[in-house]
Structure formats: C-alpha cells, structure tokens
C-alpha cells in the first residue's frame, strides 16, 4: 500500500524528517509514537502532499510514485488525513462541504455521484454512529466546534470518504473516554483487508482499542525503533528515554 | 487627454427653466468646469483618480439627450413585485399593482431646492448643472407596502460614450414601510458614465430596506451621491452587491437627526477584470441613542481595486451612540488592491464606536484542508471566497431574496 524509503523533508532549510522508512501492507494498521516535535505531523503532511516542503527519498503508494502528485489527486486516489488541528473555515457549510468532497472523490473513482436525499440519510446514520448531533453539520465547517467535536468531524469524513489509506494525526488527543471508544469503534468498523491505517498517537490507550500490527517510534526525524504492541506498553512505562 | 467642459448651451437643451434654476445650473456648471473631474490629489478621491479613469476610458463624453425607448428586458419572475422602470435614468413606466395606489405618489422629478450654493463635489456640481428628470416616489403616512418595489435600471444598447445625469427622490411617511430592490440591467456594449444624485427621507418610525445588485457585467462607469435623512425611530437597511462594474463609486451620507434610529449598511463584492469599486460613507450621529452598523467585504482579483472610506461623526449631544464599522478584503492576486480609510470624529463622551479593517490573501491552511478532501485548488478558493462573502448574504431576512442574490453572486464567482 505505502512504501516510504529514506524519506527526508525540510522546511525553510530546516531538516525535519531525516530518513524515514516504513512499509505498510494492505489491511495493516501502523502506529507512530514519538516525542513532541519529532516530526510526526510533518510526516503526515508530506504524505498528504502539503506544499512548502523540500522532499527527497522514495514515496510509493499502490506501487506508484507519489512525490509529484498534488494534494487533491492524492485524496481522490484514496489517501485521507485526519488533522491534528482541523482548520476552521468560516462561511462554508459543513454539510455542503461534505457533499462536495464526497462527490468529487466519487467522480474521480468513476462512481455515480450521490443525490441530496441519499446523502442526508447517509450522513445522519454515520454521524449518529459517532454520537454526533447532526445539527452540528449545518454549521460552518469546524467553526466554534469543541476540540472533541472537531476530531469526531474528521472521523466522520473518513467514514464518508472511505479511503484506502487513512492517516490519523493524534485523533485521540483531547477526546473524553467515551468519545475515544466511539472513535476507536469508528476506525475498527472500517478496517478490512484492503485498507491501511497510519495512526499517530501519544497514548497506549487508543492502541488498546484498535490493536496495531506495528508500532514505530519516531524521534528527531527518524524511526528509531519498530515493534509490536509491546513496544507501546514498554514506552508507557519507561518513556522515550528508555529506548536505545 | 479628454477635455470635458460642457457649454452653458447644454443646459438649454435639457429644458426651459426659471431664472433661478437656470442660474443655479450655470453656477454649478462653472464650478465643475473650473476643476473638472477630480484627481487623486483631492482627498475624497485619493484612491479613485476619476480624471485618470475617465481620460483612459473615454475619447469623448456625449451629452446627447434624445430619450431612449424602453428595450425589451426580462422582468424578475422569482418573486411578485411592484416596479418602476428607469431607462438611462429617466422614468418610463411603473406599476404598483400590489398596493393601494392612493397612498403612493410617483412622478418624474427634478430637484427644486436651489439653496445649496457651496457644493464642492464636482460630480454633484455636474449633476446639478445638467441633470434630467429621474423619479420621485412618496409613500404617505401609515402605509406599509405589501410587496417589494423593484427599480429596473435599464441602460440601453445605443449608449456610446454618453454621460447621463439624473436625480431621484424617495420619501417615506411616518410609520410607513418600503422595501426596494434596485436592479441594474445593462444592454450597452460601449462605455458610458452614469452620475446620479439621490435624496432619501425617512419620516418618524418609518422603515426602508434596500438591496442593490447588477444583473450582468457592464461597461458602465457609475457615480452616485446619496443623501439620506433619517428621523427618529426610523430604520434604514441596505445591502449592496456591486458586481462587474468598470468603475463604481457610491458616496453615501446619512444624517441621523432623531433618537433611536437604526442604520445598517452592508456590502459584498467580487471584483475582477479591472473592476474598480469604492464605497464612501459618512454617518452623522446628530442625536442620542442611535445605532449605525457598516460592514463591507471585498474579494479582489486581477487588476482590480476595492476602496472603502468610512467616516463616523458623532455630535456632542449624540450620547449613547453605538457605531460600528468593519471592512475586510481578500486579495487573490498581486495586482489586486484594497484601500481603506476609516475615520472617527467624536464629540460626545458616552459612546461606543469601533472600526476595523483587514486585508490579506486566502488562508493557505484552509486551501490545504479542502484539497486534502479532494477539491482542486481552484474549487477550494471559490468555496472560500463564497464563504467569505456569504456572511453578508446570510443576514438578509427574506429567503427568496437571499437565494436570488446568492445565485447572482455565485455565478460571478464561478464564471471567473
Ligand atoms: N514551517 C516550519 N518552519 C520551521 N520549523 C517547523 C515548521 N513546521 C514544523 N516545524 C518544526 O518541525 C518540528 C516537527 O514538527 P511536527 O509538527 O512534525 O512535530 P510532531 O511530532 O507532530 O509534534 P507533536 O507531538 O507536538 O504534534 C518541530 O520542531 C517544529 O517546530
Ligand atoms: Mg503533531
């Protein structure tokens, strides 16, 4: 699904990713942990195609080179990023945005666009599954949403857009215990043998619910250790200093 | 360089006037001719160098007065309405079929008040000197309109570097209410200049609501001076959506002469292809306990310019004044420009006045977010622009109007 080899990324001549290697097969869920400022969000941004980075190394998605593909095309090809800090967009109605986005992606996949009625029905169902009040979706996109509501809105988008590769950047941070479970359920319900996840988190708690296949530790722009769930448990006890 | 100095004989061509009126016109013509179109050295015109704009775009300015016939145009079908039709500024027809006609006076109009001898604005001088009849509309006391009044402002195909001067007046009686939808339809393929002087008088406890919009892009160069006198407990609100005008300057003066007046002005425009749009306001708080609110939003694309000059004046007796003024602009290109000059002049001590102005480009983070959801850069920008401007549309109460305006504004944005 995703091959990352010796990936380096700099911004304003500052090197942030210093040679990252990760390989994700279809159906796998990988977790990335690591200290603040180690480059986790940068990695997520580079994977989704954000401008402004000087990128080198190898980045292959479904066997094809990704580096020169623009952001919107990556999304259309099935890469989804749930933001650590979802952007507030005044004046843009959440429902309209969701529908525009979904139909754009459906169109790119050669699927039939969704009419308003079926869309409303679908969105109602999916938002209720996440314990979201669907009235929220008639508000401006993320404007005035609480921290947790923003995160749920990201997961809602993930469920609607049905990506092949979902990158979740600290989606669990700022969620209450019940919301965390709901979000984990949201992730688990979309897992199947064709879909892959890259989950960035600081806490083992989320991983208890979603059971990663691999856990990587990113420190100072490099993967310093990879392992199974036990690595996350060890980290919880010793902290990042206990590694290496 | 275009040398536009109309001769006194032009006044005679307009009509037969009393000695007093003739002298008034001659005096104003002299004033205009002594200074000509204002350039940027004149403070009120520092962001809109009209002399330069006129000489760049006109080889001549024709004062031809041959009345144009009403051309075919499509009436609005989206909502029931009364209407008046102005052809090149002249009143040609009207219908108040939804109203009690005994409560309404409508007739051609020329200003007969010759007391203003010291007018300094050359565009008003020009209008005073050469104006033809526009319309006069009076609503008697205690009459609330059942349906909106659409003013169809039609500019005809045969216009070719003409300059049109006209005057209008609206007077709303005590406790009366009128909603106006100002709709500009342009058929001219050549440049023309339209210079309007307008008086609005709101008597006690009357309500006036206005929405202005263009049907299509236009080769028109527009200047309008509008003097609004508001009496106590009256309520004025105006939503302006200037679209696709090569030049447009709205110079609006409000005199809040009684207590408990509400005055609300909002504008949203999308400027591109070299459009130049200025809104200049002067709100005079002359009595206590009044509220004024102004919000102007511009999205400015290629080679276009938006200007907002807003002055709030608060007289010493105008305590408890609540005055608000905000302008915001999004610049889409290096060649886009937004200038704003907010001014407060306050002589009362117990007042709440605030003003602010921001301009910048579209938020990069917002574009990034939308693109990660599959929207192209162009689509993302359009969605953001639409979101930015729709904040003004959202505050229009009537749903039909809201939809109508939204469609018009969106089609402008999506065309670009
Ligand atoms: N535009 C930028 N210019 C300069 N430095 C930047 C820029 N963006 C990010 N950085 C730096 O890059 C480093 C990595 O940032 P990043 O956001 O990827 O960290 P992170 O691992 O996601 O941290 P956290 O756990 O706090 O979310 C930080 O030191 C950050 O200050
Ligand atoms: Mg981060």
């Amino acid at each position: 699904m995703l091959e990352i080899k010796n990936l380096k990324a700099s911004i304003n001549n500052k090197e942030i990713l210093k040679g990252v290697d990760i390989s994700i097969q279809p159906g796998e869920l990988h977790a990335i942990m690591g200290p603040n400022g180690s480059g986790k969000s940068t990695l997520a941004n580079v994977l989704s195609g954000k401008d402004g980075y000087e990128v080198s190394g190898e980045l292959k998605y479904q066997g094809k080179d990704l580096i020169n593909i623009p952001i919107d095309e990556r999304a259309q090809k099935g890469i989804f990023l749930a933001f650590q800090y979802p952007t507030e967009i005044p004046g843009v109605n959440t429902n309209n945005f969701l529908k525009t986005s979904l139909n754009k992606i459906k169109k790119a996949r050669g699927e039939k666009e969704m009419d308003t009625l079926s869309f409303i029905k679908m969105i109602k169902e999916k938002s209720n599954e996440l314990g979201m009040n669907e009235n929220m979706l008639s508000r401006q996109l993320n404007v005035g949403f609480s921290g947790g509501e923003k995160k749920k809105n990201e997961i809602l988008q993930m469920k609607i857009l049905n990506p092949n590769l979902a990158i979740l950047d600290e989606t669990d941070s700022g969620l209450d215990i019940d919301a965390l479970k709901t979000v984990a359920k949201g992730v688990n319900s979309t897992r199947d043998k064709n879909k892959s996840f890259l989950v960035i988190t600081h806490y083992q708690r989320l991983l208890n619910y979603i059971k990663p296949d691999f856990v990587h530790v990113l420190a100072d722009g490099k993967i310093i250790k990879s392992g199974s769930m036990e690595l996350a448990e060890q980290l919880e006890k010793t902290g990042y200093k206990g590694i290496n | 360089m275009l040398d536009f100095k109309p001769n006194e004989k032009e006044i005679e061509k307009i009509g037969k006037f009393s000695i007093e009126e003739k002298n008034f016109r001659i005096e104003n013509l002299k004033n205009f001719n002594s200074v000509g179109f204002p350039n940027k050295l004149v403070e009120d015109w520092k962001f809109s160098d009209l002399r330069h704009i006129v000489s760049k775009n006109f080889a001549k300015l024709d004062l031809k007065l041959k009345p144009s016939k009403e051309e075919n145009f499509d009436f609005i079908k989206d909502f029931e309405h009364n209407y008046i039709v102005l052809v090149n500024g002249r009143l040609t027809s009207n219908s108040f079929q939804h109203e009690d006609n005994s409560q309404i006076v409508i007739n051609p109009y020329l200003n007969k008040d010759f007391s203003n001898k010291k007018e300094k604005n050359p565009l008003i001088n020009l209008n005073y000197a050469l104006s033809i009849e526009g319309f006069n509309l009076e609503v008697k006391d205690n009459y609330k309109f059942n349906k909106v009044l659409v003013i169809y402002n039609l500019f005809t195909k045969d216009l070719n570097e003409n300059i049109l001067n006209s005057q209008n007046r609206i007077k709303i009686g005590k406790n009366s209410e009128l909603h106006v939808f100002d709709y500009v339809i342009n058929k001219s393929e050549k440049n023309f200049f339209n210079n309007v002087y307008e008086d609005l008088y709101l008597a006690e406890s009357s309500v006036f609501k206005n929405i202005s919009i263009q049907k299509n892009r236009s080769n028109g160069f527009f200047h309008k001076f509008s003097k609004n006198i508001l009496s106590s407990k009256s309520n004025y609100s105006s939503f302006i959506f200037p679209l696709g005008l090569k030049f447009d300057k709205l110079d609006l003066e409000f005199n809040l002469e009684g207590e408990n007046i509400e005055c609300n002005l909002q504008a949203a425009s999308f400027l591109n292809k070299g459009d130049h749009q200025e809104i200049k306001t002067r709100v005079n708080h002359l009595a206590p306990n009044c509220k004024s609110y102004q919000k102007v939003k511009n999205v400015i694309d290629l080679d276009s310019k938006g200007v907002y000059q807003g002055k709030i004046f608060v007289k010493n007796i105008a305590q408890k004044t609540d005055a608000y003024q905000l302008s915001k602009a999004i610049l889409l290109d290096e060649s886009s420009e937004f200038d704003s000059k907010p001014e407060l002049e306050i002589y009362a001590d117990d007042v709440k006045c605030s003003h602010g102005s921001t301009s910048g480009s579209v938020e990069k983070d917002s574009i990034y977010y939308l693109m990660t959801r599959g929207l192209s850069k162009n689509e993302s920008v359009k969605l953001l622009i639409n979101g930015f401007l729709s904040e003004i549309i959202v505050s229009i109460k009537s749903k039909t109007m809201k939809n109508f305006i939204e469609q018009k504004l969106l089609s402008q944005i999506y065309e670009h």
Side-chain angles (χ1 to χ4, degrees), chain A residues 1-3 24-26 60-63 164-165 194-196:
Chain A
M1 178 72 70
L2 185 70
E3 287 293 335
I24 304 179
Q25 302 308 311
K60 277 197 166 145
Y61 171 69
Q62 296 179 329
N164 301 317
L165 172 67
N194 299 315
K195 295 204 162 62
S196 308

Side-chain angles (χ1 to χ4, degrees), chain A residues 164-179:
Chain A
N164 301 317
L165 172 67
I167 305 155
L168 311 185
D169 190 358
E170 292 197 33
T171 304
D172 54 334
S173 300
L175 288 182
D176 66 48
I177 303 162
D178 293 337

Side-chain angles (χ1 to χ4, degrees), chain B residues 55-315:
Chain B
S55 42
K56 205 172 90 184
N57 292 285
F58 290 87
K60 61 173 195 314
L61 275 170
D62 189 345
L63 283 159
K64 163 193 90 129
L65 292 159
K66 170 178 80 74
S68 299
K69 281 210 222 63
E70 193 171 312
E71 290 171 33
N72 282 340
F73 66 93
D74 295 330
F75 280 85
I76 294 171
K77 296 201 178 61
D78 304 56
F79 45 88
E80 290 190 309
H81 58 275
N82 307 288
Y83 65 82
I84 66 180
V85 180
L86 304 174
V87 177
N88 298 335
R90 214 183 275 271
L91 177 67
T92 59
S93 59
N94 66 79
S95 155
F96 290 87
Q97 53 172 327
H98 303 286
E99 310 304 327
D100 174 354
N101 283 259
S102 70
Q103 300 301 311
I104 298 160
V105 177
I106 174 88
N107 47 26
Y109 170 76
L110 268 182
N111 164 45
K112 297 290 170 198
D113 172 6
F114 309 122
S115 59
N116 183 0
K117 300 261 192 270
K118 292 191 300 261
E119 183 53 54
K120 286 264 166 47
N121 182 336
L123 274 292
I124 299 180
N125 290 139
L126 183 65
N127 183 287
Y128 280 164
L130 298 173
S131 182
I132 58 153
E133 287 175 330
F135 73 89
N136 170 54
L137 172 68
E138 278 174 51
V139 182
K140 297 195 175 151
D141 291 349
N142 304 308
Y143 184 73
K144 291 188 170 35
F145 266 60
N146 298 309
K147 295 278 187 262
V148 64
L149 168 66
V150 176
I151 302 179
Y152 290 100
N153 269 290
L154 183 66
F155 294 96
T156 54
K157 206 169 172 178
D158 60 350
L159 290 175
N160 182 7
E161 304 210 306
N162 294 99
I163 179 160
L164 311 164
N165 292 282
S166 61
Q167 296 173 348
N168 305 319
R169 187 174 74 142
I170 297 177
K171 189 176 167 208
I172 320 270
K174 279 184 195 162
N175 299 312
S176 294
E177 178 162 353
L178 172 67
H179 296 194
V180 165
F181 191 85
D182 220 317
Y183 197 49
V184 180
I185 303 172
N186 175 61
K187 303 244 178 190
S188 163
E189 284 145 19
K190 304 275 172 45
N191 291 355
F192 66 94
F193 195 102
N194 189 47
N195 182 29
V196 176
Y197 178 93
E198 204 166 78
D199 269 319
L200 172 73
Y201 178 79
L202 298 191
E204 236 175 87
S205 305
S206 63
V207 176
F208 176 78
K209 296 193 176 183
N210 171 68
I211 294 177
S212 303
I213 194 164
Q214 276 75 33
K215 179 172 192 280
N216 45 4
R217 285 193 69 83
S218 156
N219 294 316
F221 291 67
F222 288 83
H223 172 263
K224 179 173 178 171
F225 177 80
S226 159
K227 187 170 181 137
N228 305 283
I229 296 181
L230 316 186
S231 313
S232 59
K233 297 197 211 90
S234 63
N235 188 320
Y236 170 100
S237 113
S238 185
F239 289 89
I240 307 170
F241 305 98
L243 295 173
L245 299 178
K246 290 204 162 161
F247 174 80
D248 184 34
K249 176 159 175 164
L250 287 170
D251 187 344
L252 312 170
E253 180 181 315
F254 297 90
N255 294 316
L256 282 55
E257 297 190 343
E259 293 196 38
N260 300 306
I261 296 167
E262 282 193 30
C263 176
N264 175 6
L265 177 77
Q266 304 200 38
S269 38
F270 178 71
L271 308 173
N272 67 349
K273 300 177 186 159
D275 293 347
H276 183 131
Q277 160 76 41
E278 169 164 345
I279 294 179
K280 174 174 173 286
T281 61
R282 184 184 167 106
V283 178
N284 295 318
H285 281 267
L286 306 172
N289 296 312
C290 293
K291 248 176 116 161
S292 69
Y293 183 93
Q294 302 174 65
K295 192 185 252 179
V296 172
K297 287 189 137 187
N298 282 311
V299 175
I300 307 168
D301 203 354
L302 278 177
D303 301 320
S304 299
K305 182 165 172 172
V307 180
Y308 175 61
Q309 301 200 67
K311 177 159 183 172
I312 297 170
F313 171 88
V314 183
K315 202 176 165 180

Side-chain angles (χ1 to χ4, degrees), chain A residues 48 76 81 101 104 154 157, chain B residues 368-369 372-375 379:
Chain A
S48 68
Q76 290 162 10
L81 168 63
S101 163
K104 195 72 211 283
E154 296 292 290
Q157 292 174 47
Chain B
Y368 172 52
Y369 187 83
T372 62
R373 288 355 181 201
L375 279 71
E379 288 164 332

Side-chain angles (χ1 to χ4, degrees), chain A residues 9-10 27 55 64 109 119 137 164 184 195 216 236 240 243:
Chain A
S10 322
V55 180
K64 294 198 182 102
R109 287 182 191 148
F119 176 79
L137 304 176
N164 301 317
K195 295 204 162 62
H216 310 275
E236 193 82 11
Y240 294 110
I243 294 192

Side-chain angles (χ1 to χ4, degrees), chain A residues 45 48 50 71-72 75-76 80-81 83 87 89 91-92 97 101 104-105 142 154 157, chain B residues 365-377 379 383-384 386-388 390-391:
Chain A
N45 287 338
S48 68
K50 189 176 185 180
I71 310 165
D72 50 333
Q76 290 162 10
F80 178 85
L81 168 63
F83 281 63
T87 316
I89 306 193
V92 173
F97 155 73
S101 163
K104 195 72 211 283
I105 284 178
N142 290 328
E154 296 292 290
Q157 292 174 47
Chain B
D365 284 346
S366 303
I367 297 177
Y368 172 52
Y369 187 83
L370 295 174
M371 285 183 78
T372 62
R373 288 355 181 201
L375 279 71
S376 71
K377 177 150 190 202
E379 288 164 332
L383 197 62
L384 293 169
N386 180 31
F388 175 79
S390 73
E391 194 203 335

